[in-house]
């Protein structure tokens, strides 16, 4: 199959036509690129799992534009959903709700709940308006880093999907915050750029990082977001030593660290991740993808001492897990 990349109104229309024909299409969102199919067409959704090599027990997120369409895809919607929508949507928040029977089981991997998100990227909005509800995971090959540009999608899915709609680089750069609203107390299943503190201004939530490892969001149990090269985490004080040890062994090594840390490092090949969580989120995946092409080992600075980097550290820990 030939994979086309196109941008602008014309390709949004072609994308919507492909969706209506039961095809899959990659499209930009503000978080990462998604690989979409008609959320009501089980055969079309199956193609998403096939193109990505995604395990079928990992559910997809349904992407909508209008809040009123929530009633079509979900049922028993709690009042708090409207409050969260008002505060954060459209934007990088996924709400897990009771699933309506109209959503095929393949979308939710057989769960009786469904993840729903209202993306804010103008291209995503236009695309969904033309094609209807879109079921989509991130548009990477399963287990690889999520794509934040159309070229990243091409690297992973070339020849496997007909179209990538190019909407530029994703602004947020890490996947949405997932909140489960089916529990008595809402639960954060995946941290994101909308922080737990921000959500707690609207509703009290439970969040336990450890629990996520036993797969509250089914996808969290898989190795995710990993570069194809080795990847380790090191505290600032340990980076130079670790770097020199691996250079001595002839391992091509790269350091990814905050701007402040890079400024202090000596005789080290290092790239700047940014100054704050927003900047790190925005750059992390594209720097990992760039780094894996020319390096054998990426050392990433451990930012876990600072609560300010909580969500990016969650992704960095996953990136470093591949070889465990
Ligand atoms: O920002 C995002 O969320 C992006 C863009 C494309 O919207 N999507 C995304 O999808 O990152 P991805 O590949 O992470 O897959 C969806 C995640 C998985 O971790 C899955 O387990 C979780 O959402 N999920 C989906 N439905 C769920 C449900 N009903 N209950 C719990 N977790 C769910
Ligand atoms: Mg993903």
């Amino acid at each position: 199959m030939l994979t086309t990349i196109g941008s602008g109104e014309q390709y949004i229309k072609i994308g919507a036509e492909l969706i209506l024909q039961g095809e899959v299409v990659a499209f930009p969102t503000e978080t990462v690129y998604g690989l979409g199919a008609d959320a009501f067409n089980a055969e079309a959704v199956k193609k998403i799992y096939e193109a990505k090599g995604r395990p079928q027990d990992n559910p997809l997120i349904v992407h909508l534009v209008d809040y009123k369409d929530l009633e079509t895809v979900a049922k028993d919607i709690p009042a708090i959903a409207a409050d969260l929508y008002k505060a954060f949507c459209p934007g990088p928040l996924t709400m897990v709700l009771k699933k309506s029977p109209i959503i095929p089981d393949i979308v939710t991997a057989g769960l009786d709940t469904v993840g729903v998100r209202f993306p804010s990227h103008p291209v995503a909005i236009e695309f969904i308006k033309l094609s209807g509800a879109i079921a989509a995971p991130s548009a990477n090959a399963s287990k690889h880093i999520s794509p934040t540009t159309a070229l990243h999608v091409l690297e992973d899915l070339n020849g496997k999907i007909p179209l990538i709609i190019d909407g530029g680089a994703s602004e947020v750069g890490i996947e949405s915050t997932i909140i489960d609203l089916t529990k008595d107390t809402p639960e954060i299943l995946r941290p994101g750029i909308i922080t737990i503190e921000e959500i707690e201004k609207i509703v009290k939530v439970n969040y336990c990082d450890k629990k996520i490892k036993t797969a509250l969001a089914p996808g969290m149990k898989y190795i995710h977001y990993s570069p194809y090269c080795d990847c380790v985490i090191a505290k600032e004080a340990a980076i130079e030593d670790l770097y020199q040890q691996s250079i001595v062994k002839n391992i091509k090594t790269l350091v990814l660290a905050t701007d402040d840390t890079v400024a202090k490092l000596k005789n080290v090949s290092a790239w700047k991740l940014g100054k704050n969580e927003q900047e790190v989120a925005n750059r992390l995946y594209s720097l990992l993808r760039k780094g894996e092409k020319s390096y054998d080992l990426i050392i990433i600075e451990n930012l876990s001492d600072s609560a300010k980097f909580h969500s990016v550290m969650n992704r960095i820990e996953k990136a470093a897990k591949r070889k465990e």
Side-chain angles (χ1 to χ4, degrees), residues 64-252:
L64 299 175
V65 168
D66 286 324
Y67 186 74
K68 64 174 168 41
D69 289 337
L70 202 53
E71 284 171 23
T72 315
V73 302
K75 60 177 189 183
D76 308 334
I77 301 164
I80 193 65
D83 298 337
L84 290 169
Y85 178 86
K86 269 187 217 123
F88 303 113
C89 299
L93 183 75
T94 295
M95 297 188 259
V96 172
L97 297 159
K98 283 263 179 269
K99 161 189 177 306
S100 123
I102 199 173
I103 295 291
D105 283 340
I106 188 165
V107 172
T108 59
L111 296 175
D112 60 0
T113 57
V114 60
V116 185
R117 179 162 120 66
F118 299 85
S120 64
H121 194 298
V123 172
I125 291 175
E126 202 49 45
F127 175 57
I128 296 163
K129 273 188 184 163
L130 295 176
S131 52
I134 293 285
S138 50
N140 49 289
S142 186
K143 298 182 182 160
H144 199 207
I145 309 153
S146 291
T148 56
T149 68
L151 277 179
H152 293 164
V153 181
L154 191 72
E155 281 171 3
D156 282 20
L157 301 179
N158 193 11
K160 296 187 170 146
I161 60 172
L163 177 66
I164 302 166
I165 305 173
D166 188 348
S170 296
E171 215 176 306
V172 173
I174 59 169
E175 305 80 353
S176 59
T177 307
I178 304 182
I179 181 165
D180 186 346
L181 300 182
T182 67
K183 306 277 161 58
D184 288 340
T185 304
E187 197 153 308
I188 302 292
L189 305 186
R190 178 171 74 182
I193 214 73
I194 296 177
T195 61
I196 293 153
E197 293 70 34
E198 286 174 282
I199 291 175
E200 290 224 295
K201 286 182 190 150
I202 314 284
V203 63
K204 171 108 190 54
V205 297
N206 281 331
Y207 173 62
C208 176
D209 224 356
K210 297 289 172 296
K211 261 205 247 164
I212 279 179
K213 292 187 178 116
T214 60
L216 275 172
M220 301 304 270
K221 72 171 178 273
Y222 294 106
I223 296 164
H224 266 66
Y225 325 115
S226 302
Y228 291 136
C229 64
D230 282 335
C231 195
V232 294
I233 301 173
K235 293 227 173 190
E236 184 188 339
I239 291 176
E240 276 177 20
D241 275 356
L242 203 59
Y243 181 88
Q244 296 308 338
Q245 284 164 26
S246 77
I247 290 299
V248 168
K249 290 185 208 147
N250 261 327
I251 299 169
K252 277 188 253 162

Side-chain angles (χ1 to χ4, degrees), residues 233 301-304 309-317:
I233 301 173
E301 182 179 2
N302 189 342
L303 305 169
S304 62
F309 291 99
H310 181 79
S311 298
V312 288
M313 260 327 281
N314 169 275
R315 305 308 196 271
I316 289 169
E317 276 165 8

Side-chain angles (χ1 to χ4, degrees), residues 222-296:
Y222 294 106
I223 296 164
H224 266 66
Y225 325 115
S226 302
Y228 291 136
C229 64
D230 282 335
C231 195
V232 294
I233 301 173
K235 293 227 173 190
E236 184 188 339
I239 291 176
E240 276 177 20
D241 275 356
L242 203 59
Y243 181 88
Q244 296 308 338
Q245 284 164 26
S246 77
I247 290 299
V248 168
K249 290 185 208 147
N250 261 327
I251 299 169
K252 277 188 253 162
T253 306
L254 170 72
V255 172
L256 295 181
T258 56
D259 297 7
D260 282 351
T261 304
V262 170
K264 286 184 246 162
L265 291 170
K266 289 187 197 78
N267 305 317
V268 161
S269 168
W271 294 346
K272 289 177 181 169
L273 277 171
K275 291 185 287 297
N276 52 43
E277 180 150 85
Q278 276 73 21
E279 286 184 7
V280 177
N282 175 272
R283 290 181 211 168
L284 180 66
Y285 290 163
S286 65
L287 291 181
L288 286 173
R289 277 182 180 259
K290 201 172 147 198
E292 72 181 358
K293 292 197 180 80
S294 351
Y295 293 91
D296 304 320

